[in-house]
Structures are given as structure tokens and as C-alpha cells.
Amino acid sequence: MSLFEEDPEDYLELVKDWEDPWPDPVIEKYDGVYVVRDDLLNAGAKVRFVDYYIKTLPESVKEVVFGNCPATGYAQISLPIICKRYGRKAVLFMAKRSEDNLHPYQTRGMKEGAIYNWVNMGMLSVTKAHAKKYVEERPNERVALPLGLEHPTVLGSIMKVARKAIIMEPSEIWTVGSSGTINRGLQMAFPNVPVNVVQTGHSMNEREIGRAKHWVSPYKFDKPIKPEEAPPFPSAPTYDAKAWPFIKEHAKPQSLFWNVGA
């Protein structure tokens, strides 16, 4: 059975007239591995990939709502930044934390303009349900984003950015994965290149993994990587950095790793 309901090139066609407004990805080499340094954006790689989606929402949509972000999630930084660019509000539903126990990403999200709705007993299934109910109250003015910000135009945007940025033929591609959106977009962009995904959150299902070789980080999803195992470049310690031990041990020469943020 095909991984995608449409030909992957159909996703690319959706964004054919779009150009990534962010600086071109920087690719540097570390220990024989090509690293896409999207940590240099200081906003998370998904500001690139969700740009078209947010930009082309109907004018009536004033609020972009997300209920699938853990405290360590980078979406709470990326979303308010991109929403602000297009005159919309980023509204988050997240597990309640005391003010003196906020994660640095949450503090940054507030600074970028995200509106936080704190939920008691805030498992992701609960925060997602709260977000859904909130959108249903004003469906013309609010839109709920899916897990991983996955949308056909997001996948198309990943393909377009990646094919422009990666001019060499890597021996294989590595990313971390929770929802797996970026990894699947790269699978689509380079159908003949082997792909690896290092699971850092919930147990990924077959669809989320796609054709990637699946690895599982031994760290709990909210625990940062040990400094001695971290990569030699800025990388999110509870997310992207957890791929580096696997890359060091298993990656082929001339592999490529997409570093989403720091």
C-alpha cells in the first residue's frame, strides 16, 4: 500500500508559486556528516514549512490554534513568529505549569506573542480536545493545526525547500521524529535516498515512520541529552540532539542531518 494518498509530486505542485521567505538553509560538515543548520533561524525549521499554509488561510481566520505541543516543543516558538508575520494570533492549549516552572521555550513563546491556555491534567489528548472545542466555538475565525503541523502544503514546502538546499546527493538522511512530518517530507523529496528517523517522543506508528529506518532514543522525551553525547553545534537538547549518538555510531559517510532548532 502506498504511503501517500497522492503522488508526492502533487504536494509540490500545491506550492509551486511559493518561495521560502527565510534565509537559505546553511549546510556545514561535522565529523563527515552534512548538517542543515536551521538552528541558525532561531525560530525552528517549521517557520519555513508552515509559511505557505499560514499565509494562505482565509482572511476570516484570525487565530491559529494548536493543542499538540509539549512543554519542550518548538512549535510554541515557530507558530507565534509565523502568525505574527501574517497578522494572526497563535493560540496554544498546554498542560498547566507554575510561573516559576516554565520551560525556556514557553517563556520564549510568550515573548513572541503566543497566547497560552493552561489546562489541568493536560495530557496531549486533553489539550487537543480543548483546542478542538475552542475552534468549534468560532469556526470561521479559528483553525486547529494537526499533530506535527502536518498538511499537504507543509509537506510540499518541505520538499521544495529541501530540493533547493540539498544540491549534493547524501548517502542517507537523518532526522529525529515525533509526528515524523519533516522526515516524511524528506522521504518524498528524495525518494531514492535511504532515510533514518530517531524517535524522541510517543511511539511512532507505521504511517509516521514511512520508509525510514526507525531508531528509538533511550532518553525520556522531556529529558535533555547528556552534554558528552550532544553534537558539536547548537541543537535542541530534548529533541534534535538525541539523534547525534545514533549518527555517530551508525551513519554512513556523507550522510545528512536536518537540525531543526536549538
Side-chain angles (χ1 to χ4, degrees):
M1 185 173 68
S2 175
L3 172 62
F4 306 105
E5 294 180 3
E6 297 90 6
D7 186 320
E9 299 301 317
D10 291 339
Y11 295 150
L12 192 60
E13 181 70 14
L14 294 173
V15 295
K16 65 179 180 180
D17 298 323
W18 170 79
E19 294 297 331
D20 179 12
W22 293 86
D24 290 343
V26 173
I27 301 179
E28 297 178 343
K29 210 168 187 180
Y30 296 87
D31 301 334
V33 176
Y34 294 105
V35 178
V36 180
R37 292 286 311 277
D38 261 358
D39 57 284
L40 296 172
L41 289 174
N42 196 30
K46 284 189 177 178
V47 291
R48 303 184 187 278
F49 306 141
V50 80
D51 181 89
Y52 178 90
Y53 176 82
I54 301 296
K55 180 180 181 179
T56 58
L57 286 170
E59 288 188 14
S60 63
V61 175
K62 308 301 181 186
E63 300 179 18
V64 178
V65 184
F66 195 49
N68 290 296
C69 189
T72 55
Y74 226 85
Q76 60 194 320
I77 297 173
S78 301
L79 277 180
I81 288 175
I82 201 67
C83 284
K84 188 162 44 179
R85 177 187 284 263
Y86 296 114
R88 308 181 197 275
K89 296 178 180 178
V91 180
L92 306 172
F93 285 82
M94 297 184 69
K96 187 175 182 178
R97 283 193 169 203
S98 61
E99 289 187 12
D100 60 354
N101 191 37
L102 294 177
H103 189 276
Y105 291 176
Q106 294 176 315
T107 303
R108 171 79 187 282
M110 290 178 179
K111 188 178 296 185
E112 297 294 349
I115 299 170
Y116 284 77
N117 292 275
W118 302 112
V119 179
N120 292 321
M121 301 295 290
M123 295 173 57
L124 286 185
S125 59
V126 178
T127 56
K128 180 181 177 181
H130 278 262
K132 182 175 182 290
K133 181 179 179 181
Y134 181 76
V135 170
E136 289 172 347
E137 291 171 356
R138 295 184 182 179
N140 293 327
E141 298 178 15
R142 300 167 179 166
V143 64
L145 290 177
L147 177 67
L149 311 184
E150 183 175 350
H151 185 269
T153 62
V154 173
L155 292 167
S157 298
I158 294 169
M159 293 176 67
K160 187 165 187 174
V161 171
R163 287 182 177 177
K164 180 181 178 182
I166 302 171
I167 58 175
M168 81 294 289
E169 173 100 350
S171 60
E172 58 183 6
I173 293 171
W174 288 77
T175 77
V176 293
S178 181
S179 65
T181 303
I182 290 178
N183 192 277
R184 289 196 304 283
L186 294 172
Q187 293 177 37
M188 295 163 66
F190 304 102
N192 297 318
V193 176
V195 177
N196 296 266
V197 63
V198 178
Q199 176 182 304
T200 62
H202 73 278
S203 296
M204 298 177 71
N205 61 36
E206 183 178 353
R207 179 187 173 280
E208 291 169 334
I209 295 168
R211 65 176 177 85
K213 186 171 183 179
H214 180 225
W215 309 83
V216 180
S217 173
Y219 288 94
K220 291 184 178 180
F221 83 96
D222 60 344
K223 297 301 181 184
I225 193 169
K226 295 176 182 177
E228 61 268 25
E229 292 188 319
F233 48 85
S235 186
T238 59
Y239 194 57
D240 298 274
K242 292 176 181 177
W244 196 247
F246 293 90
I247 292 170
K248 289 282 288 182
E249 184 173 354
H250 301 288
K252 297 176 182 177
Q254 314 303 315
S255 292
L256 181 135
F257 170 54
W258 202 296
N259 191 51
V260 171

